[in-house]
């Protein structure tokens, strides 16, 4: 439990980042040898979903360890709970980096392929398109890599459109008129919005409207425009997740959002309503997100 919450099975928590390795997971090895793999996976899921871990890294490390080194029942249980722990692509890519290390180059097995296919196909197509366009790559992996290696087959035309957009680009999708019609208006409208936002040359009323209507994040927008207070205010109006807000407080303060434009808005227009209880956040992680220097001890 200590390892899952603090990232170390020793008696001390260090604020500095620690490389996760087999040297500090003797507790995991011991539990697997004692035949407690399924119970360990349940504990991992509980710690993750209840927001009890300071960071997701040790939780993902432990789940990957169970998925690749446990007995068959443990491996099945670990992969079956993949979506509960890997809630966003960042988690999925980190989990995959750990799995790859434990696999020692053996590639994707059938159990792993099925789990990753279920992760993508089990999500609502619009929510999936948001996640895949926001978190395009992490830890040396891209969605194209995972879709290819997992042999993911879309469950419907909406998912097929999302996969084509991400792997082959906007032009390839929008030129496929039949798929555009069959995919449905909601998915296509969102994907068009992300394409327009990324190609925008200035922050105008049209871009602000796209952000508010589709809930676009800063990752969906050209980096050249990210110094605009008007742009960040639009994102705040769409209930920016609490973790993202804390991470970007410095940025928003630096560009003068809090001293000017924000104060000119009505309270109901400029405040976010998402509670921290819905974002799986360990309290101390707010400090780390807002002040990365604290990692240095």
């Amino acid at each position: 439990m200590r390892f899952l919450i603090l990232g170390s099975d020793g008696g001390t928590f260090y604020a500095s980042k620690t490389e996760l390795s087999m040297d500090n997971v003797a507790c995991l090895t011991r539990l697997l040898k004692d035949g407690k793999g399924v119970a360990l996976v349940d504990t991992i899921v509980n710690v993750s979903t209840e927001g009890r871990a300071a960071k997701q890294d040790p939780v993902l490390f432990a789940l990957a360890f169970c998925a690749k080194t446990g007995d068959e029942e443990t491996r099945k249980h670990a992969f079956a709970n993949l979506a509960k722990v890997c809630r966003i692509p960042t988690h999925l890519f980190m989990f995959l980096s750990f799995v790859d290390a434990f696999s020692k180059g053996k590639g994707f097995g059938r159990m792993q392929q099925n789990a990753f296919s279920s992760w993508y196909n089990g999500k609502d197509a619009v929510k999936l398109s948001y996640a895949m366009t926001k978190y395009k790559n992490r830890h040396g992996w891209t969605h194209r890599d995972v879709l290819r290696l997992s042999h993911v087959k879309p469950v419907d035309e909406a998912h097929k459109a999302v996969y084509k957009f991400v792997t082959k680009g906007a032009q390839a999708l929008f030129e496929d008129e039949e798929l555009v019609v069959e995919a449905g208006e909601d998915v296509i409208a969102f994907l068009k919005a992300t394409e327009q936002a990324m190609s925008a040359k200035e922050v105008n009323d049209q871009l602000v409207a796209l952000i508010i209507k589709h809930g676009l994040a800063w990752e969906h927008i050209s980096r050249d425009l990210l110094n605009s207070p008007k742009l960040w205010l639009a994102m705040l109006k769409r209930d920016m997740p609490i973790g993202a807000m804390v991470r970007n407080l410095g940025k928003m303060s630096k560009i003068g959002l809090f001293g000017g434009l924000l104060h000119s808005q009505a309270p109901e227009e400029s405040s976010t309503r998402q509670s921290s209880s819905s974002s799986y956040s360990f309290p101390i992680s707010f400090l780390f997100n807002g002040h990365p220097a604290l990692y240095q001890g």
Side-chain angles (χ1 to χ4, degrees):
M1 182 70 76
R2 183 185 290 113
F3 172 78
L4 296 177
I5 294 176
L6 300 178
S8 170
D9 60 2
T12 306
F13 171 68
Y14 295 96
S16 59
K17 292 184 179 179
T18 303
E19 188 73 21
L20 294 172
S21 69
M22 295 302 297
D23 294 336
N24 55 9
V25 290
C27 53
L28 303 181
T29 303
R30 184 168 58 253
L31 288 170
L32 291 182
K33 286 184 177 180
D34 290 344
K36 299 178 180 179
V38 172
L40 174 57
V41 171
D42 288 337
T43 301
I44 292 168
V45 173
N46 180 270
V47 168
S48 177
T49 56
E50 292 189 359
R52 299 167 65 187
K55 291 186 70 65
Q56 277 288 96
D57 306 36
V59 173
L60 296 169
F61 183 94
L63 186 67
F65 186 72
C66 291
K68 299 305 291 186
T69 67
D71 57 28
E72 184 174 1
E73 186 179 9
T74 299
R75 296 199 305 273
K76 286 182 178 179
H77 198 50
F79 280 122
N81 284 280
L82 180 66
K84 292 181 180 179
V85 179
C86 299
R87 294 178 290 276
I88 60 175
T90 298
H91 300 159
L92 189 72
F93 291 143
M94 179 177 287
F95 172 82
L96 183 53
S97 69
F98 290 138
V99 164
D100 189 54
F102 293 134
S103 299
K104 298 179 180 179
K106 293 182 180 179
F108 284 34
R110 181 61 58 85
M111 197 181 297
Q112 183 174 332
Q113 290 177 340
N114 291 339
F116 279 91
S117 293
S118 295
W119 191 95
Y120 284 96
N121 286 328
K123 296 184 182 301
D124 171 80
V126 177
K127 293 180 179 179
L128 180 65
S129 64
Y130 176 92
M132 293 181 71
T133 52
K134 179 180 179 180
Y135 309 99
K136 297 179 180 179
N137 59 79
R138 296 287 192 282
H139 306 287
W141 291 93
T142 67
H143 291 291
R144 180 183 297 179
D145 297 330
V146 184
L147 292 172
R148 176 177 58 85
L149 293 171
S150 299
H151 304 293
V152 177
K153 305 297 182 184
V155 291
D156 54 35
E157 297 306 291
H159 283 77
K160 183 177 181 180
V162 177
Y163 301 157
K164 189 165 187 175
F165 181 89
V166 171
T167 60
K168 297 185 178 180
Q171 183 175 348
L173 170 60
F174 299 138
E175 286 180 349
D176 189 340
E177 297 180 1
E178 181 178 354
L179 179 57
V180 167
V181 172
E182 295 178 347
E185 183 178 345
D186 291 344
V187 169
I188 298 302
F190 180 83
L191 294 175
K192 285 183 176 179
T194 63
E195 183 67 13
Q196 292 169 6
M198 187 56 70
S199 60
K201 302 300 182 183
E202 61 179 354
V203 179
N204 51 31
D205 291 343
Q206 181 183 8
L207 178 57
V208 169
L210 286 174
I211 293 171
I212 295 175
K213 180 178 180 180
H214 297 283
L216 301 182
W218 69 264
E219 292 93 341
H220 291 118
I221 302 163
S222 170
R223 290 183 176 273
D224 295 336
L225 305 180
L226 294 181
N227 286 326
S228 167
K230 187 176 181 181
L231 182 148
W232 285 93
L233 179 59
M235 289 187 282
L236 284 173
K237 287 182 176 180
R238 270 303 303 257
D239 290 348
M240 181 185 293
I242 188 69
M245 188 195 308
V246 173
R247 285 192 298 273
N248 288 288
L249 281 175
K251 174 69 174 182
M252 290 187 283
S253 178
K254 183 178 180 180
I255 63 177
L257 176 61
F258 301 127
L261 188 58
L262 185 64
H263 289 173
S264 69
Q265 305 295 310
E268 65 271 16
E269 292 181 339
S270 60
S271 62
T272 59
R273 297 177 292 279
Q274 184 184 47
S275 67
S276 61
S277 62
S278 65
S279 57
Y280 305 100
S281 296
F282 187 78
I284 201 171
S285 69
F286 286 116
L287 293 175
F288 291 160
N289 284 332
H291 302 280
L294 291 178
Y295 276 123
Q296 304 307 317

